[in-house]
Amino acid sequence: MSTPKERIIATTFELFAKQGYNSTGINQIVAEANVAKASFYQYFKSKEDLCVEFLNVRHDYWFNELNRFVSKEKDMKLKLISCFDFLIEMNQKENFRGCSFLNILSEIPMDNVKILSVIQNHKKDLRNYFSELIKDSGLSDHIYLLFESSIIESQLFRSNELIEKSKKIIINLIK
Amino acid sequence: MSTPKERIIATTFELFAKQGYNSTGINQIVAEANVAKASFYQYFKSKEDLCVEFLNVRHDYWFNELNRFVSKEKDMKLKLISCFDFLIEMNQKENFRGCSFLNILSEIPMDNVKILSVIQNHKKDLRNYFSELIKDSGLSDHIYLLFESSIIESQLFRSNELIEKSKKIIINLIK
Amino acid sequence: MSTPKERIIATTFELFAKQGYNSTGINQIVAEANVAKASFYQYFKSKEDLCVEFLNVRHDYWFNELNRFVSKEKDMKLKLISCFDFLIEMNQKENFRGCSFLNILSEIPMDNVKILSVIQNHKKDLRNYFSELIKDSGLSDHIYLLFESSIIESQLFRSNELIEKSKKIIINLIK
Amino acid sequence: MSTPKERIIATTFELFAKQGYNSTGINQIVAEANVAKASFYQYFKSKEDLCVEFLNVRHDYWFNELNRFVSKEKDMKLKLISCFDFLIEMNQKENFRGCSFLNILSEIPMDNVKILSVIQNHKKDLRNYFSELIKDSGLSDHIYLLFESSIIESQLFRSNELIEKSKKIIINLIK
DNA sequence: TATGAATGAGCTTTCATTCAT
DNA sequence: GATGAATGAAAGCTCATTCAT
């Protein structure tokens, strides 16, 4: 089939994204991954550890998908709009579950530096992504901020309305 | 001293804002509120119920504080900037704990309509708040979106940097 | 409306018969009887006390209904059969909930003499009832035993089959 | 010593028979079985589950004991009487605790089909037991009914009087 | 490497009862 | 006579983790 570690990660990927961090127990993970409890703790010394791994995997997955999606466009401005369309696609695929990183940010104690820094790095990379795309740091941060609220508002209202609104705002900003 | 119900709500207010919903147990609440466990369940039929009550109290508190803070300014544009300064004040007061409503949004199962709708209503009110302040629905939504990301990014990075950046963006937008 | 005590007894009558003793909490009783908790404990010093009262009320109710039903027949043998038809009527009315007395017997600790003796007296009265109807103590006990199992088996299988069988047996016995 | 599961079942066997279902808490079971609470829930997914297991174990135990006891007699009629003597032995051994199956029948909500059907099957087996012993279905049901009331009445009055009476009745029936 | 068995501490919730007025 | 407020104890159950092999 595959190695236990792979199965754990695949299962975690699905469950954390779907149910969130705190609502997903180790029991459920090992059960659905068909792995012994002790095997789990061979690869991950704690649930926190698994969380870090999950966030790393998610980071790679998410940026890959984004790049795949955006690379269809050649023009910078179209690429930009395409980023927001990517959110719409993700909302449909994942049923408006929002951003895994921000979700977990709300679920961990404030002093959990280990996880916090992984989340921060993800968002720094995203901010950089826009900055490299746009080459105007004032504008790129502006768009980064609209991108962030687009994710959250669409999660909150289970609707892409404010993503569409953001797209219109941006079109005006960069015309 | 005060009534048990008052003590429960006060303690909950503090603990939910500080630690989040899932990390705060009924045990801790009743212990710190000096209330018998059964007394708790006389006033709140479930933890979910308490959550709704908390969100309502928080809603009133938050908008009161916002209004108090913003009313110092008379000019609309200054009022607008003042909203973002309010975030800075709150971050200092509450140690960058972010938005209670969005935090709880991440902690509940997606199908918890009862809590979800309370959160949605809070944000609708906020969106209206800007809309009434600005009287230009395109612009007001734009600012609402920047406001939302300002909260989240400052929570994530424990820094007011992007709040300040938003202020600058807005000053440019409305000049 | 009526006095609190009456409402408590009426509600208890319904709930104990429907749900059983242990599954019916004081909370539910006072809630459905629209009575304050403390009022309850003014009339009944404990749940056990209420149980005794319930059994007494039930005793009167049950024998009254039995007599009313059986008195339609004049002939002793027909009266006897009528007793078993009464069970069928009760099963329909109370949805095969069986004998309140035997049900509570199973729910109390073995050393609860207070309740136990009330139950014993009820069944002694029933045994006497048959004995006075039949005037042949060997036969009357025989029928009492068939009557008892008729209640229980019909409760267990939610069916009157074995009541009907008992009737046939008895018709053969007394012909 | 023995495995936790074995100790749980042994303890449950004792406590359910002695105190009944509702009066026996998981806490007491795990305490007396010297087992961690979480271990309990590794083997039984709920108390209801444990109840089913208990009834199955009890079913086997009870019929084994009955067969052991009855097999001392060779003649069918003596075997029959022996069944009732078995009740007397059980009453002495278990201090008139009655039938575990009928006791639990009184303690569960009427719509608990899972437990109900286990109880029904036990009694169906008993009814069959008599039917195979006697080969006269009219008579065997008659005796089954007397057997059932014998258990209950002896439980209620903590006395074997009505068991003895049943024996006499039966001797007359089959002579 | 891989595992099934076992766990202590904690969860949310409900029980029958008493207090103060 | 009547009540709303408050309670200690216990209920059934789940958590992340570790042990022994």
Side-chain angles (χ1 to χ4, degrees):
Chain A
M1 198 191 197
S2 58
T3 81
K5 185 171 185 179
E6 284 167 354
R7 293 202 304 280
I8 291 169
I9 292 176
T11 306
T12 302
F13 187 81
E14 214 181 321
L15 293 179
F16 275 14
K18 202 202 303 173
Q19 311 174 344
Y21 177 61
N22 283 316
S23 301
T24 305
I26 301 289
N27 280 326
Q28 193 186 1
I29 292 173
V30 299
E32 298 197 14
N34 259 107
V35 164
K37 199 81 78 72
S39 300
F40 174 89
Y41 280 94
Q42 204 143 24
Y43 296 112
F44 306 98
K45 71 183 225 301
S46 67
K47 196 187 180 186
E48 188 194 16
D49 228 57
L50 175 67
C51 184
V52 169
E53 176 76 7
F54 162 72
L55 291 174
N56 286 331
V57 170
R58 179 84 187 169
H59 176 86
D60 291 345
Y61 168 80
W62 193 87
F63 270 105
N64 280 340
E65 291 290 293
L66 176 65
N67 280 317
R68 187 189 50 68
F69 193 93
V70 169
S71 65
K72 293 171 195 158
E73 304 293 339
K74 295 296 162 216
D75 178 65
M76 183 269 272
K77 293 178 185 181
L78 291 178
K79 276 180 188 289
L80 217 46
I81 299 303
S82 186
C83 290
F84 287 76
D85 285 328
F86 174 65
L87 289 186
I88 293 173
E89 193 196 57
M90 287 297 277
N91 279 336
Q92 205 215 331
K93 200 189 291 181
E94 302 191 342
N95 196 217
F96 295 96
R97 256 263 106 213
C99 171
S100 294
F101 298 85
L102 296 179
N103 283 334
I104 286 179
L105 175 65
S106 297
E107 300 206 52
I108 56 167
M110 287 191 56
D111 55 2
N112 191 327
V113 190
K114 211 146 146 216
I115 291 179
L116 179 60
S117 73
V118 178
I119 301 174
Q120 288 175 335
N121 285 331
H122 171 75
K123 290 300 184 188
K124 278 180 198 158
D125 286 352
L126 177 59
R127 199 172 161 188
N128 276 338
Y129 182 88
F130 284 114
S131 146
E132 281 171 18
L133 201 57
I134 298 171
K135 315 282 187 202
D136 171 344
S137 94
L139 185 57
S140 78
D141 280 345
H142 189 163
I143 284 163
Y144 167 68
L145 289 169
L146 290 172
F147 192 82
E148 287 291 88
S149 17
S150 289
I151 305 176
I152 286 152
E153 300 302 309
S154 61
Q155 173 183 9
L156 171 53
F157 292 103
R158 277 87 171 107
S159 144
N160 295 315
E161 183 211 348
L162 286 169
I163 303 181
E164 297 291 358
K165 194 142 230 167
S166 290
K167 281 165 59 182
K168 286 191 190 122
I169 291 170
I170 289 166
I171 289 170
N172 265 311
L173 285 177
I174 61 179
K175 80 176 157 210
Chain B
M1 201 193 197
S2 60
T3 81
K5 184 170 187 181
E6 284 168 355
R7 294 202 303 281
I8 290 170
I9 291 177
T11 306
T12 302
F13 188 81
E14 213 181 323
L15 294 179
F16 275 13
K18 202 201 303 174
Q19 310 173 345
Y21 178 61
N22 283 318
S23 302
T24 304
I26 302 289
N27 282 328
Q28 193 185 2
I29 291 174
V30 299
E32 298 198 12
N34 257 104
V35 164
K37 200 124 31 124
S39 298
F40 173 89
Y41 280 95
Q42 204 145 24
Y43 297 110
F44 305 98
K45 71 183 223 307
S46 67
K47 196 187 179 186
E48 189 194 14
D49 225 57
L50 176 67
C51 184
V52 170
E53 174 78 7
F54 162 73
L55 291 174
N56 285 332
V57 170
R58 180 83 188 171
H59 176 86
D60 293 344
Y61 169 79
W62 193 86
F63 270 105
N64 280 340
E65 291 290 293
L66 176 66
N67 279 318
R68 189 189 50 68
F69 193 92
V70 169
S71 65
K72 293 171 194 158
E73 304 293 340
K74 295 294 161 219
D75 178 66
M76 184 270 270
K77 296 179 183 177
L78 292 178
K79 276 179 189 289
L80 215 47
I81 299 303
S82 185
C83 290
F84 286 76
D85 285 327
F86 173 66
L87 289 186
I88 295 173
E89 193 196 56
M90 286 298 277
N91 279 336
Q92 205 215 331
K93 201 190 289 180
E94 301 192 342
N95 196 218
F96 295 96
R97 253 264 113 211
C99 172
S100 294
F101 297 84
L102 295 179
N103 284 333
I104 286 178
L105 175 66
S106 297
E107 299 207 53
I108 55 167
M110 285 191 58
D111 54 2
N112 190 329
V113 190
K114 207 140 146 230
I115 290 179
L116 178 61
S117 74
V118 179
I119 300 175
Q120 288 175 335
N121 284 332
H122 171 76
K123 292 300 185 189
K124 278 178 197 160
D125 286 351
L126 177 59
R127 200 172 161 189
N128 276 339
Y129 183 88
F130 286 115
S131 149
E132 284 172 15
L133 200 59
I134 298 171
K135 316 279 186 203
D136 171 343
S137 94
L139 185 58
S140 78
D141 280 346
H142 189 164
I143 284 162
Y144 167 68
L145 289 168
L146 291 172
F147 192 82
E148 287 290 89
S149 16
S150 289
I151 305 177
I152 285 153
E153 300 302 309
S154 61
Q155 173 184 11
L156 171 53
F157 292 104
R158 277 82 171 114
S159 142
N160 294 314
E161 183 211 346
L162 285 170
I163 302 181
E164 298 291 358
K165 194 143 229 163
S166 289
K167 279 164 61 181
K168 285 192 191 122
I169 291 171
I170 289 166
I171 289 170
N172 266 310
L173 286 176
I174 61 179
K175 80 173 158 213
Chain C
M1 201 192 196
S2 58
T3 81
K5 185 172 185 180
E6 284 168 353
R7 293 204 302 280
I8 291 170
I9 291 176
T11 306
T12 302
F13 187 79
E14 213 181 323
L15 294 179
F16 275 14
K18 201 201 305 172
Q19 311 174 344
Y21 177 62
N22 283 316
S23 301
T24 305
I26 300 289
N27 281 325
Q28 193 186 2
I29 290 173
V30 299
E32 298 196 14
N34 259 106
V35 163
K37 199 82 78 71
S39 300
F40 174 89
Y41 280 94
Q42 205 144 21
Y43 296 111
F44 306 99
K45 70 183 228 302
S46 68
K47 196 187 181 187
E48 188 195 15
D49 228 56
L50 176 67
C51 184
V52 170
E53 175 77 7
F54 161 73
L55 292 174
N56 286 330
V57 171
R58 180 83 188 169
H59 176 87
D60 293 345
Y61 168 79
W62 193 86
F63 270 105
N64 279 339
E65 291 290 293
L66 176 64
N67 280 316
R68 189 189 50 68
F69 193 93
V70 169
S71 65
K72 293 172 196 157
E73 303 295 338
K74 295 296 161 215
D75 177 66
M76 184 269 269
K77 294 179 184 179
L78 291 178
K79 275 179 189 290
L80 215 47
I81 299 304
S82 186
C83 291
F84 287 75
D85 285 327
F86 174 64
L87 289 185
I88 294 174
E89 192 196 58
M90 287 297 278
N91 279 336
Q92 205 215 329
K93 200 189 289 181
E94 302 192 341
N95 197 218
F96 295 96
R97 253 262 111 213
C99 172
S100 294
F101 297 84
L102 295 180
N103 283 333
I104 286 179
L105 175 66
S106 297
E107 299 206 55
I108 55 166
M110 285 191 58
D111 53 3
N112 191 327
V113 189
K114 212 148 146 214
I115 291 179
L116 178 61
S117 72
V118 179
I119 301 175
Q120 288 175 336
N121 284 331
H122 171 75
K123 290 300 184 189
K124 278 179 199 160
D125 286 351
L126 178 58
R127 199 172 161 190
N128 276 337
Y129 182 89
F130 284 115
S131 147
E132 284 170 15
L133 200 58
I134 298 173
K135 315 282 186 199
D136 170 343
S137 94
L139 185 58
S140 78
D141 280 345
H142 190 165
I143 284 162
Y144 168 68
L145 289 169
L146 290 173
F147 191 82
E148 287 292 88
S149 16
S150 288
I151 305 177
I152 286 153
E153 299 302 308
S154 61
Q155 173 183 10
L156 171 53
F157 291 103
R158 278 87 170 108
S159 143
N160 295 315
E161 183 211 348
L162 285 169
I163 302 181
E164 298 291 359
K165 195 144 227 164
S166 290
K167 279 165 61 181
K168 285 190 193 123
I169 290 171
I170 289 165
I171 289 171
N172 265 311
L173 285 177
I174 62 180
K175 77 173 160 216
Chain D
M1 201 190 198
S2 60
T3 82
K5 185 171 185 182
E6 284 167 355
R7 294 203 302 279
I8 291 170
I9 292 178
T11 305
T12 302
F13 189 81
E14 214 181 323
L15 293 178
F16 275 14
K18 201 200 305 175
Q19 311 174 343
Y21 178 60
N22 283 317
S23 302
T24 305
I26 301 290
N27 282 326
Q28 191 186 4
I29 291 173
V30 299
E32 298 197 13
N34 257 106
V35 163
K37 203 144 1 148
S39 297
F40 173 89
Y41 281 94
Q42 206 144 22
Y43 297 109
F44 305 98
K45 72 184 223 305
S46 67
K47 196 188 179 186
E48 189 194 14
D49 227 56
L50 176 67
C51 184
V52 170
E53 174 78 7
F54 162 73
L55 291 175
N56 285 331
V57 170
R58 179 84 189 170
H59 175 86
D60 292 344
Y61 168 79
W62 193 86
F63 270 105
N64 279 340
E65 291 290 294
L66 176 65
N67 279 318
R68 188 188 51 67
F69 193 93
V70 169
S71 66
K72 291 172 196 158
E73 304 294 339
K74 294 295 161 218
D75 178 66
M76 184 268 270
K77 295 179 183 178
L78 292 178
K79 275 178 190 289
L80 216 48
I81 299 305
S82 186
C83 290
F84 287 77
D85 285 327
F86 173 65
L87 289 186
I88 294 173
E89 192 197 58
M90 287 297 277
N91 279 335
Q92 204 215 332
K93 202 191 287 182
E94 301 191 342
N95 197 218
F96 294 96
R97 254 266 103 208
C99 172
S100 295
F101 297 83
L102 296 180
N103 284 333
I104 286 179
L105 175 66
S106 296
E107 301 206 52
I108 56 166
M110 285 193 57
D111 53 3
N112 191 328
V113 190
K114 208 141 146 230
I115 290 180
L116 178 61
S117 72
V118 178
I119 300 175
Q120 289 175 335
N121 285 331
H122 171 76
K123 292 299 185 189
K124 279 179 197 160
D125 286 351
L126 178 59
R127 200 172 161 189
N128 276 337
Y129 183 87
F130 285 114
S131 146
E132 284 172 14
L133 200 57
I134 298 172
K135 314 282 185 201
D136 170 342
S137 93
L139 184 57
S140 78
D141 280 345
H142 190 163
I143 284 163
Y144 167 69
L145 289 169
L146 291 172
F147 192 82
E148 287 291 87
S149 15
S150 290
I151 305 178
I152 286 153
E153 300 303 308
S154 60
Q155 174 184 10
L156 171 53
F157 292 104
R158 276 86 172 110
S159 143
N160 294 314
E161 184 212 345
L162 286 170
I163 303 182
E164 297 292 359
K165 194 143 230 165
S166 290
K167 280 165 61 182
K168 284 189 193 124
I169 292 170
I170 290 167
I171 288 171
N172 266 309
L173 285 176
I174 61 179
K175 77 173 160 215

